[in-house]
Amino acid sequence: MKNMKIEKAEKLGLCFGVRRAIKLLEEAANKYGEIETLGPLAHNRLLVESLAKLGVRPINHPDQSHGRILAITTHGAGPAVLSEIRARHIHIIDTTCPIVCKAQNAAEELADAGFDVFIFGDEKHSEVKGLLGWAGDKGIATLDMKQIVSSGKSPSRLGIISQTTQTQTDFIKFAKQLIDMFGPKIDEMRLVNTLCKVTQGQQEAAIRLARRSQLMIVIGGSNSANARHLVEICSPLVETHLVETADEVDTSWLEGKHHVSITAGASTPHETVEALIDKLKSL
Ligand code: SF4
């Protein structure tokens, strides 16, 4: 492992949406003391733990709230959830990422205009649950075309959007499959590109780096959608591993390698990336 080159992707780690949310929560914690978030701020354990030290605590549902202040996370929430919180007279701090807001607006506008709204995304992910809420009974979300077949939907007006952190390649493939499936029945189609350009930039930088590396280490939460996508896109190019902390690096991965590269999910704090680099340097 002597003379091992360690290289970071040109674009990686904490995105502006998560930074903005952290700032809003820090200000709110200073002002109000303890506050709650509806779900973890982002899918990164270390980030959630560091916020907990400031008095920011996640809950799973508005009915678990003990406080007066509840923050909506970067992933956003649907209108029914927001109404429920207001009905409980709980003050909302909205940290929904502006890019997620754009996707929510697209879902609502397409549904209002009478389009069936096909959302390319993981229906169990909190962002996608919110998008489904804004699309109302016009929405369906999936990563699996079989689910669309079994839904029995047969739209004449086809609206297509994506969970913000999906890959461009997969979103285009999904849209093409929908057109192939419903082709002759479609009178009108609208595709709104709701992909996050920050995520795309990080994915493209990771691909460029993976092509010239012998090993990629992705650092991020195991339940983070964008960290998992970084692993998915790098894995076909080079040996790739996902770790949440530097301690999870297995030294056997480094044997015989002289060029090891790093990228990080959009909710991975800068210090976590630096700790990984320090660990690799120390080996
Ligand atoms: S990854 Fe993109 S959409 Fe998600 S919070 Fe960050 S900037 Fe917003």
Side-chain angles (χ1 to χ4, degrees):
M1 283 180 266
K2 220 174 172 188
N3 298 326
M4 186 176 72
K5 179 178 175 185
I6 301 165
E7 194 174 354
K8 268 199 304 187
E10 290 157 51
K11 296 177 185 175
L12 83 173
L14 220 54
C15 63
F16 87 90
V18 176
R19 278 182 213 277
R20 174 181 169 273
I22 293 171
K23 188 165 176 282
L24 289 169
L25 289 178
E26 284 173 350
E27 286 167 5
N30 274 338
K31 187 170 173 189
Y32 300 108
E34 296 218 332
I35 56 172
E36 291 159 334
T37 59
L38 190 57
L41 172 69
H43 292 139
N44 187 287
R45 181 172 55 81
L46 300 173
L47 182 61
V48 172
E49 284 172 6
S50 76
L51 285 168
K53 289 183 189 140
L54 302 175
V56 180
R57 190 177 67 90
I59 58 169
N60 293 324
H61 192 273
D63 65 12
Q64 295 169 347
S65 177
H66 295 106
R68 292 172 299 117
I69 318 285
L70 185 55
I72 302 300
T73 68
T74 50
H75 300 129
V81 174
L82 295 174
S83 299
E84 183 178 347
I85 298 169
R86 289 193 188 103
R88 292 174 184 274
H89 305 290
I90 298 170
H91 178 65
I92 295 174
I93 295 172
D94 190 358
T95 77
T96 308
C97 174
I99 294 171
V100 176
C101 288
K102 186 186 152 202
Q104 292 176 341
N105 292 339
E108 186 182 26
E109 283 167 18
L110 286 168
D112 285 351
F115 286 83
D116 280 296
V117 185
F118 290 80
I119 303 166
F120 180 57
D122 174 2
E123 62 186 324
K124 296 195 185 80
H125 190 282
S126 46
E127 178 195 321
V128 178
K129 287 183 189 169
L131 294 178
L132 279 169
W134 289 100
D137 59 5
K138 289 286 196 179
I140 177 168
T142 187
L143 295 167
D144 181 0
M145 292 305 288
K146 285 189 210 128
Q147 211 172 318
I148 292 178
V149 175
S150 58
S151 75
K153 280 200 178 268
S154 178
S156 59
R157 305 185 82 202
L158 175 65
I160 311 172
I161 62 171
S162 177
Q163 180 180 1
T164 55
T165 48
Q166 294 295 330
T167 65
Q168 190 177 40
T169 313
D170 288 344
F171 181 40
I172 291 170
K173 193 170 149 202
F174 176 79
K176 280 185 180 158
Q177 284 174 326
L178 285 177
I179 294 166
D180 286 346
M181 186 183 288
F182 298 123
K185 296 175 199 147
I186 302 170
D187 292 329
E188 189 179 355
M189 188 185 86
R190 274 194 216 165
L191 181 148
V192 185
N193 183 1
T194 54
L195 292 171
C196 167
K197 292 198 170 46
V198 179
T199 306
Q200 278 184 278
Q202 292 189 349
Q203 289 171 350
E204 284 159 14
I207 289 171
R208 283 195 296 275
L209 188 53
R211 286 200 176 116
R212 57 174 193 269
S213 304
Q214 292 176 304
L215 176 73
M216 282 295 286
I217 301 181
V218 180
I219 186 155
S222 55
N223 54 353
S224 157
N226 65 66
R228 285 205 315 265
H229 284 135
L230 287 168
V231 174
E232 273 166 34
I233 58 174
C234 293
S235 293
L237 303 171
V238 70
E239 180 184 337
T240 304
H241 299 279
L242 175 66
V243 296
E244 197 159 14
T245 64
D247 295 340
E248 291 172 21
V249 172
D250 185 332
T251 49
S252 70
W253 301 340
L254 308 174
E255 276 165 25
K257 310 283 188 343
H258 52 80
H259 188 178
V260 174
S261 297
I262 295 169
T263 185
S267 52
T268 307
H270 176 70
E271 304 77 52
T272 315
V273 178
E274 291 308 310
L276 174 60
I277 293 171
D278 288 346
K279 164 94 181 193
L280 292 173
K281 281 182 181 164
S282 74
L283 289 172

